[in-house]
Structures are given as structure tokens and as C-alpha cells.
Amino acid sequence: AVGVITLVPALLLTRFPPFPKRLRDTSASGSVTSKPGMKTALGMNAVAGAWQSFLMSYIPVVLSIAGNGDSSVGWLVGLANGATIIGVWLTPHLRALSFGVQSSLAIGATVAGLVGAALTAQVTLVALVFLVLSGCGAGILQTAAPVIASLASLAEDQGRALVAIGLSRSGAL
């Protein structure tokens, strides 16, 4: 039922053709990934994918070994995932910062949060704070990366740029 409900907004999205005919010869300008900002966006999305992978695999094991019960581990991981919504909400408020500063803050929060949660897994409340921090960082990463890629690309290359972003994310998962 939820899948059917989500079809309506999905049909309203702008569809970029992934491989449209080029309006002019852009071979001299290099590949889509060589555009300024694309490497930042690719890195941001790769870190977001790695965060999701760690959160769904290693972090529950570490929390469980540290003595947290199954329900506590579920709540901690769920709240970290939920914190990505805070990161999504924060993303437009960071527009005044440069892309490099945005990515540095978000990557720092994501990595520091995961490492902090792993190191303090025995203290559930502290681990929760670190996991929420990492979730906020991951929310910023996974929201800002496609936007940066789209802004860094020519109109006829936006589909290719978003494909590259998707590949970087899936490769990290």
C-alpha cells in the first residue's frame, strides 16, 4: 500500500535522460566526473553509502558485544537512521557555506559519530549521541551530493552526473 502511495510523487519528479544526445561537442571538456565539484559530490555520496553499510552491519554487532540488548540495538540503529532526516533538513541551511566546507563538516560528523559510537558502545546514551551525530552528517551527505553534482554539470550532462552519483553510493554499500 505504501508503495502505491509513493507512486504519485514519483511520477511528478523531473526525469533527466541518463544519456541524451549532446547538443555540442564536449569531448574537449573531459568526462562528467572531471567537472569542478563532482569529485566532492562523489566522495560525499561514497561516505554516505559506507555509513549506511557500517550502520547496518558492524555497528549493531559492536553494540551487541558491548552488552546492549537486542531492543536497545534496534532503537539505537533506528534513531541513527531517523537522524538522517535532521541532516536533510539542515542541508539547505548550509548553502551559505562553500561545498568544501559543507562536505568537510558532514563527513567529519559522520565518521566521528560512527567511531565515537563504536568506542563508547557500553554507555548507551553516549553511543546514542554519537549515532545521532553520524546520522545528521549522513543526511547532509546524501542530500547535498546529488545537488552539487547537478549544479556542477551542464544541462545535457546532468543525467550522467546523477548516474555517477548513484554508482558511487551503490559501490560504497
Side-chain angles (χ1 to χ4, degrees), residues 65-153:
I65 290 172
N68 292 295
D70 291 345
S71 61
S72 293
V73 170
W75 273 102
L76 288 167
V77 170
L79 289 170
N81 266 320
T84 61
I85 295 170
I86 297 168
V88 169
W89 178 80
L90 285 172
T91 302
H93 302 290
L94 298 175
R95 281 190 67 155
L97 302 174
S98 70
F99 291 147
V101 173
Q102 285 179 25
S103 65
S104 296
L105 286 173
I107 289 171
T110 303
V111 172
L114 281 182
V115 171
L119 294 175
T120 61
Q122 291 179 328
V123 184
T124 306
L125 186 59
V126 176
L128 172 65
V129 169
F130 279 118
L131 285 171
V132 168
L133 173 69
S134 74
C136 290
I140 293 167
L141 292 173
Q142 59 196 21
T143 305
V147 172
I148 292 170
S150 184
L151 292 173
S153 303

Side-chain angles (χ1 to χ4, degrees), residues 13-85:
L13 293 172
T14 301
R15 182 173 178 256
F16 294 112
F19 303 105
K21 291 202 179 275
R22 294 182 182 243
L23 301 175
R24 61 192 187 301
D25 181 23
T26 57
S27 58
S29 63
S31 71
V32 170
T33 57
S34 68
K35 304 289 185 231
M38 275 301 292
K39 289 191 181 358
T40 300
L42 291 168
M44 290 171 74
N45 223 24
V47 170
W51 174 83
Q52 190 68 46
S53 181
F54 274 101
L55 187 69
M56 294 301 153
S57 57
Y58 296 111
I59 293 297
V61 172
V62 169
L63 291 170
S64 182
I65 290 172
N68 292 295
D70 291 345
S71 61
S72 293
V73 170
W75 273 102
L76 288 167
V77 170
L79 289 170
N81 266 320
T84 61
I85 295 170

